[in-house]
Amino acid sequence: MYPLFELFGREVGTYGLCAFIGVLVCCAVGFILTRRKGILIEDLIVNYAYILSGMVLGGHILYGITNIKLIVQLFANIKDYTFLKFIVALFGGCFGGMVFYGGLIGGIIALYLTVRFSSFSNPMMYDVLAVLIPLFHAFGRVGCAMAGCCYGIESDFGYTVHGNPVIPMVNDVNRFPVQLIEAGCNLIIFTVILVLYLKKRFPDRLLIVYFLIYPVVRFILEFFRDDDYRGIVGGLSTSQIISILLFAAAIIFSIVDHKRKGTSKGIEAKS
C-alpha cells in the first residue's frame, strides 16, 4: 500500500492524513447534529479538543501497556542509555504508537470530566460521541490499510503488499483485508446509531448501544489479525479482553438502568 507519500517535498504518513480527514469530517457531522440543540460552536470546539486530547493520551498509554515487556527490559538496561536516548526509547518506542481502545476510553473519560466539571454540561454530547466514534474509526482503519499496520492473517482472500518500508512484516504475503472489513463494519454501526439519534431513540444511552455492538465485532475480527505484538493473554489479544470487559459492562449497566427506571416509574405511580 502507501504508508508514506510526498507533499511539498516532505514525507507524510498516510495514516495520519486519514485520521486528520476523519477528525474534520466528524467535526462537521457533529456540528450538523448539534446546531439545533442550542449548543454553541465555541463550546463544541472546546469539547472536541478535550476529547481528542483524551484519545491521544489514552491511546498512547494502552500502547505502552501492550509493550510492558519492552518497558521492563528498557528499565533493566537503563545504565546502557544516555538520558536523551532513554527518553526517546521510552516515549518514541514503548509509548510511540496508539491503540484504538485506549483512545476510546481516554476520549470518553475526557468527555465525562468536561460534562461533569466544566461550564459545558450537556449530556447530549454522549449520544453525539456515540455517532462520531465509528465514523472516525472507519477513516482510521482505511489509514491502517494504506499504511499496512493492523494487518490480517495469511489468506487466499485478500491482497498482497510489496515494498512497504515502514512495516516489512506485511510484505509479499497475501493477507486477509481485516482493516477494510472493520472500516465497513464501523460505517454500518455509524449508520445504525445515526438513525437512532435522528429518531430520538435511547436518548443519553447511545454509547451503551455502541458498546453492545462494536466489542462483538472487534472480538470476532481479532481472530483475523496477525500482528501479535498487540499482546496475547490466554490465547486472547489485549483488544479481545477489553472487548469482553466493555460488553459485560454495557450489559450490567443496561440491567441496572432498566431496574432503576422501573423503580422510578413504580414510585411515581404510587405517588
Side-chain angles (χ1 to χ4, degrees), residues 34-260:
T34 57
R35 63 180 179 176
R36 296 181 180 179
K37 303 293 185 178
I39 297 178
L40 298 175
I41 185 64
E42 294 86 354
D43 288 333
L44 197 61
I45 292 174
V46 171
N47 206 51
Y48 282 157
Y50 284 131
I51 292 173
L52 286 173
S53 298
M55 289 173 59
V56 171
L57 182 60
H60 282 296
I61 289 175
L62 186 55
Y63 184 84
I65 292 174
T66 63
N67 284 307
I68 190 66
K69 291 182 180 179
L70 292 178
I71 296 175
V72 172
Q73 184 179 7
L74 179 64
F75 275 93
N77 298 292
I78 191 171
K79 63 180 182 300
D80 299 327
Y81 293 85
T82 64
F83 177 77
L84 182 59
K85 288 184 177 180
F86 177 81
I87 294 298
V88 171
L90 180 62
F91 293 103
C94 299
F95 288 92
M98 293 183 66
V99 176
F100 168 74
Y101 266 142
L104 174 62
I105 295 171
I108 292 175
I109 292 174
L111 175 59
Y112 170 78
L113 294 176
T114 302
V115 173
R116 179 70 176 81
F117 297 107
S118 75
S119 58
F120 180 86
S121 58
N122 195 324
M124 188 197 69
M125 282 303 300
Y126 290 113
D127 287 348
V128 175
L129 186 63
V131 176
L132 300 182
I133 288 171
L135 178 60
F136 173 77
H137 201 184
F139 281 92
R141 284 304 181 217
V142 171
C144 290
M146 296 296 290
C149 64
C150 306
Y151 51 86
I153 58 173
E154 294 186 34
S155 171
D156 293 333
F157 172 72
Y159 54 85
T160 303
V161 175
H162 303 285
N164 187 323
V166 180
I167 306 176
M169 294 84 72
V170 77
N171 290 329
D172 305 317
V173 178
N174 203 69
R175 294 189 178 277
F176 187 79
V178 65
Q179 311 102 315
L180 297 178
I181 290 177
E182 186 171 350
C185 290
N186 273 299
L187 289 177
I188 293 173
I189 297 172
F190 161 71
T191 303
V192 170
I193 297 181
L194 176 62
V195 170
L196 293 175
Y197 178 89
L198 295 176
K199 291 188 175 182
K200 300 180 180 179
R201 300 293 303 275
F202 311 116
D204 301 331
R205 296 296 182 269
L206 291 184
L207 264 179
I208 301 303
V209 175
Y210 172 80
F211 284 128
L212 290 172
I213 301 175
Y214 177 73
V216 177
V217 173
R218 180 62 179 269
F219 184 89
I220 296 172
L221 289 180
E222 283 290 299
F223 289 112
F224 296 91
R225 285 178 61 167
D226 197 34
D227 47 340
D228 292 343
Y229 64 85
R230 294 167 295 118
I232 301 294
V233 180
L236 298 178
S237 70
T238 304
S239 293
Q240 284 177 315
I241 294 173
I242 296 175
S243 293
I244 294 172
L245 295 175
L246 290 178
F247 181 79
I251 290 290
I252 293 171
F253 180 90
S254 299
I255 293 173
V256 172
D257 189 54
H258 178 72
K259 289 184 177 181
R260 182 183 61 80

